Amino acid sequence: MSPPAPDRSPVRSVTVYCGSAPGCDPLFMACATRLGAAMAERGAALVYGGGGIGLMGALARSAKAAGGSVTGIITEQFMRLEQGWDGCDEMIVVPGMRERKQQLEERGDAFAVLPGGLGTYEEFFETLVGRVIGRHSKPIGVLNVAGYYSPLVELVEHGITSHFVRDAVRELMVVRETPEALLDALLDAGAHPVPHDPKRMLPMHGYGGVTQ
C-alpha cells in the first residue's frame, strides 16, 4: 500500500515518545527506524525528546535521512549528559521535565508511543489523561511491537472492568503492531477525531458517581 497523500489528514507533525535505550529485542530499534522513515515519506514532521541514543537516536536519524523535519525537545540536564542529537533541524533546550512534556504535547498533532521505560510510560499516561479530560483532542497511538505494550493495554482494560476507567477510553487509543500501520491509523484518526464527551469519558459521570 502506498503512503497516504500529505493532505489526507490535519496531522502534520507527530510527537513520538520512546526509550533512550535500545531494548533487548532488535525489533524495537528496527521499528523506530521504520517509523522515522515512514513519517518522512508521509510528510509528517517528527517531534521527540531530542536524544541521540537508543530508540530516540534511531528514530531521529531515520526521519532525517529520509528527508523529514526533526524537532528535539530536551532538558538542560540531558544536554549536559551529552545525550542530545546535533542533527535536529531545531533543538529546544528547556529547564526541566515539566517544560519538556508541555512542549512535546503542544508541538505534535498526534502522538506515537514506542517501547520505552518509566519516562515513556509517564508521557503516555499524562497524554492520555489530557485527552480524557479534554485538554487536547489529538490522536494517541501505541506501537505494540513484539507484545511490548500488551501489559499496558491490559492495565487499561483492568481499570475499565474495575469501573475506574470509562470504556470510551478505548476509542482514544490506537494500538497497532507495525509502525506503518500505526502511522496510517493516526493520520486517519486525525481526520476523524473522537469528540470529547465528559459524560462518556470521565469516571465521575458513571459507576455510582455523578450521573447527570
Side-chain angles (χ1 to χ4, degrees):
M1 184 178 66
S2 60
D7 60 354
R8 170 184 170 184
S9 170
V11 174
R12 303 297 182 186
S13 61
V14 179
T15 290
V16 180
Y17 302 129
C18 62
S20 58
C24 65
D25 192 327
L27 278 174
F28 299 154
M29 288 285 280
C31 281
T33 299
R34 286 167 55 188
L35 181 63
M39 288 177 61
E41 290 168 1
R42 289 156 174 75
L46 169 64
V47 180
Y48 84 119
I53 56 178
L55 268 65
M56 282 192 186
L59 170 74
R61 287 181 174 86
S62 175
K64 188 68 178 289
S69 171
V70 178
T71 297
I73 302 171
I74 196 167
T75 65
E76 295 171 352
Q77 177 189 18
F78 290 148
M79 281 298 289
R80 289 194 299 269
L81 294 173
E82 299 181 352
Q83 292 188 9
W85 184 51
D86 59 9
C88 293
D89 295 287
E90 181 182 13
M91 178 67 87
I92 300 168
V93 182
V94 296
M97 291 300 292
R98 290 181 180 177
E99 295 86 354
R100 186 193 202 188
K101 288 187 291 184
Q102 181 179 355
Q103 293 244 15
L104 286 167
E105 184 177 298
E106 291 176 352
R107 286 177 173 259
D109 297 322
F111 305 94
V113 185
L114 274 60
L118 297 177
T120 304
Y121 305 159
E122 179 189 24
E123 288 163 336
F124 163 72
F125 277 113
E126 185 164 335
T127 301
L128 180 61
V129 170
R131 183 71 169 90
V132 168
I133 66 176
R135 188 174 68 226
H136 68 85
S137 59
K138 304 170 186 179
I140 303 167
V142 176
L143 182 61
N144 193 25
V145 55
Y148 182 77
Y149 278 122
S150 293
L152 182 145
V153 175
E154 292 169 4
L155 177 62
V156 174
E157 287 295 326
H158 180 63
I160 291 171
T161 58
S162 298
H163 289 188
F164 286 105
V165 181
R166 301 299 297 277
D167 56 9
V169 170
R170 294 190 185 104
E171 302 170 28
L172 308 181
M173 296 171 53
V174 176
V175 182
R176 297 291 187 275
E177 296 181 358
T178 68
E180 296 82 5
L182 180 69
L183 182 56
D184 287 344
L186 285 175
L187 293 174
D188 185 67
H192 306 91
V194 176
H196 182 255
D197 183 350
K199 290 187 177 181
R200 294 183 62 236
M201 296 181 183
L202 298 180
M204 70 282 291
H205 288 291
Y207 307 135
V210 178
T211 56
Q212 301 297 323

